Amino acid sequence: MTATTAPAEAPAAPDAGGAPSGGRSRRLALGVIATGMLMIILDGSIVTVAMPAMQKDLDFTPAGLSWVVNAYLIAFGSLLLLAGRLGDLIGRKRMFVTGIGLFTLASVLAGAATSPATLIAARFLQGVGGAMSSAVSLGILVTLFTEPGERARAIAVFSFTGAAGASLGQVLGGVLTDVLNWHWIFFINLPIGLAALLLALPALPADRGLGLRAGADVTGALLVTAGLMTGIYSVVKVEQYGWASGHTLGFGGLGLALLGGFAVRQTRARTPLLPLRMFRSRAVTGANVVQLLMVAALFSFQVLVALYLQNVLGYGAAETGLAMLPAAAVIGAVSLGVSARLNARYGERTVLLAGLVLLLGVLGLLTRVPVHATYWVDLLPVMLLAAGFGLALPALTSLAMSGARADDAGLASGLFNTTQQVGSALGVAVLSTLAASRTETLLASGHSRAEALTSGYHLAFGVGAALLGAAFLTAATLLRPGR
């Protein structure tokens, strides 16, 4: 990958698009990207604790309420790959700014919603805007920071933003809903989005892109978007319909057929949307497979632990967020404090494997958490071991982007984010379904609600640990350094 910026210690100089490329301007650009991602990731978790209030206020049905999450997830997950490639073609800055603008506007519409249909439509638009900006963020980052040490530190900041947004969202969602009302969990995005837009225009480097002629595979774009949308829809509805239902098998089969057609199309298209040469890189392929498994497994930590705290231990929304704050703190400390230095000294693969071992410890301890748990004894060690995420994600991100060419950086970023969303959807479908099934079986046999719920969560944590084990083996084999 060719360098596009001057070294941090060199005087600022204009790049091809007229933006300065010195160290200070690159740090400002990193701040803009991190701010945009914080808003988007914050929104993903802030909604979960406010859903009961939304249901009561807008008279949602239980099935309809799930679309507050599903509409966002389907739009976000299915458009990342397309948005990443379009960023390479028409310019990543243009794609990022447009996405942040759309996300901010959709947030205002969601906050002002007075009916279920309006809120669901606004959430879909949020997903579109989030996909547009998220898909190119890493692509902008790796073309700005080309020196390995600087890139590692920038990726550490980016990774910390994700962890902090997910954790703070639960706390902030509970506080805003309790003190004001659920509308403010969306309105809070307005000042953040406006600040990101105002700073992005001068801070991000302008890039013309390759032009639509370099990769305007319209047929491929339609196939992959429809395939991902249909597949993700089938997965997020598994809990309602079941794995063996005609609904799941029908939509799942259609999604796979569309994605299969997309793969065939990419071997024949003159300008493919996703050049298959990218998968010749063992780092790109291995990192995306590992992330798929890791994210699916960690759904059990990010969501099921919160459900355990509320449904079994009786915590409130704000208490749950505060209980999980130590995890965010140690993830942030490791991401920002030591991950870049460890990656430089020992290599990303070694650091990734160490992080996965710590995360295995997290889920291993959770498989034994009791019905009447004591936070300081049973849960605080779990939160502290979550530091493994601060090791694993920056290393994994570096590996995923290391094999991408400069003109494919947006696509590689979109692909990495797509596997993250698909992994999240699979984690939701598989682990929550297993936990619910186990709970229902025990309730029917006469166990108490707390015992049945805890046993269901134990099963989900155990399956999550198995997925992490598979991620460890994949990283150990596929990500071996070449000779």
Side-chain angles (χ1 to χ4, degrees):
M1 184 180 297
T2 56
T4 59
T5 58
E9 57 271 21
D15 66 9
S21 59
R24 181 177 297 177
S25 65
R26 284 183 290 163
R27 288 192 292 272
L28 178 59
L30 175 61
V32 170
I33 295 171
T35 300
M37 291 305 96
L38 176 65
M39 177 177 67
I40 291 168
I41 295 170
L42 187 75
D43 195 79
S45 60
I46 202 173
V47 169
T48 57
V49 296
M51 287 177 69
M54 295 177 194
Q55 183 176 21
K56 181 179 180 181
D57 189 26
L58 299 183
D59 198 25
F60 267 105
T61 64
L65 184 64
S66 68
W67 280 99
V68 175
V69 174
N70 292 344
Y72 179 85
L73 181 62
I74 289 171
F76 191 92
S78 61
L79 292 173
L80 280 164
L81 192 60
L82 175 59
R85 186 54 177 166
L86 286 177
D88 290 332
L89 300 179
I90 67 174
R92 296 175 199 127
K93 177 180 180 177
R94 185 180 302 171
M95 183 64 68
F96 180 88
V97 170
T98 304
I100 291 294
L102 179 59
F103 187 92
T104 304
L105 176 61
S107 296
V108 175
L109 293 176
T114 56
S115 69
T118 303
L119 181 57
I120 290 170
R123 288 287 289 163
F124 187 87
L125 287 177
Q126 278 190 309
V128 175
M132 293 172 69
S133 51
S134 299
V136 296
S137 295
L138 281 172
I140 297 173
L141 188 151
V142 299
T143 52
L144 277 174
F145 297 90
T146 56
E147 191 274 320
E150 285 188 336
R151 178 181 291 183
R153 289 189 289 272
I155 287 177
V157 172
F158 186 87
S159 302
F160 165 72
T161 301
S167 300
L168 289 175
Q170 293 176 324
V171 180
L172 195 57
V175 171
L176 287 174
T177 303
D178 290 343
V179 175
L180 298 171
N181 55 58
W182 66 264
H183 298 273
W184 284 93
I185 70 172
F186 297 113
F187 287 144
I188 196 174
N189 291 333
L190 180 59
I192 302 175
L194 289 177
L197 283 173
L198 291 175
L199 291 174
L201 293 173
L204 296 184
D207 56 322
R208 298 183 182 89
L210 302 172
L212 290 175
R213 293 181 181 273
D217 179 17
V218 177
T219 302
L222 292 174
L223 284 170
V224 72
T225 303
L228 286 171
M229 192 170 289
T230 305
I232 293 173
Y233 169 74
S234 70
V235 168
V236 299
K237 301 299 287 182
V238 161
E239 189 172 359
Q240 180 179 346
Y241 290 99
W243 286 101
S245 68
H247 183 279
T248 300
L249 295 176
F251 280 99
L254 177 59
L256 290 174
L258 289 168
L259 292 176
F262 169 72
V264 173
R265 170 70 183 175
Q266 299 314 287
T267 65
R268 301 176 179 177
R270 179 174 298 179
T271 54
L273 179 69
L274 177 59
L276 298 183
R277 56 177 162 73
M278 287 189 62
F279 296 103
R280 296 173 189 165
S281 167
R282 196 164 56 186
V284 170
T285 302
N288 278 282
V289 172
V290 170
Q291 178 175 231
L292 185 76
L293 294 167
M294 184 179 80
V295 171
L298 290 180
F299 163 79
S300 62
F301 173 75
Q302 295 168 332
V303 177
L304 294 186
V305 168
L307 292 175
Y308 166 77
L309 290 171
Q310 294 184 57
N311 295 336
V312 177
L313 299 187
Y315 284 34
E319 288 178 297
T320 298
L322 292 172
M324 298 184 74
L325 266 184
V330 296
I331 290 171
V334 172
S335 296
L336 296 176
V338 299
S339 66
R341 292 197 295 270
L342 292 176
N343 285 334
R345 181 169 183 178
Y346 299 107
E348 287 89 353
R349 175 179 175 271
T350 301
V351 175
L352 170 61
L353 293 174
L356 289 173
V357 168
L358 291 178
L359 293 174
L360 275 167
V362 168
L363 296 187
L365 288 177
L366 286 172
T367 60
R368 302 174 61 85
V369 70
V371 174
H372 304 290
T374 302
Y375 180 80
W376 301 104
V377 175
D378 299 305
L379 292 169
L380 183 60
V382 171
M383 303 300 168
L384 298 180
L385 282 176
F389 193 73
L391 294 177
L393 187 58
L396 195 58
T397 305
S398 296
L399 287 166
M401 299 302 295
S402 65
R405 301 189 331 194
D407 54 352
D408 289 334
L411 179 59
S413 173
L415 178 63
F416 188 69
N417 281 291
T418 298
T419 58
Q420 188 176 88
Q421 294 306 309
V422 172
S424 177
L426 287 172
V428 170
V430 175
L431 299 182
S432 62
T433 301
L434 289 173
S437 177
R438 175 68 172 166
T439 297
E440 290 174 4
T441 300
L442 292 178
L443 285 173
S445 63
H447 288 76
S448 69
R449 182 172 181 271
E451 291 174 339
L453 285 169
T454 303
S455 182
Y457 297 145
H458 283 171
L459 175 60
F461 295 142
V463 174
L467 291 173
L468 280 179
F472 182 92
L473 293 175
T474 303
T477 53
L478 283 185
L479 297 178
R480 287 179 299 175
R483 294 182 178 180

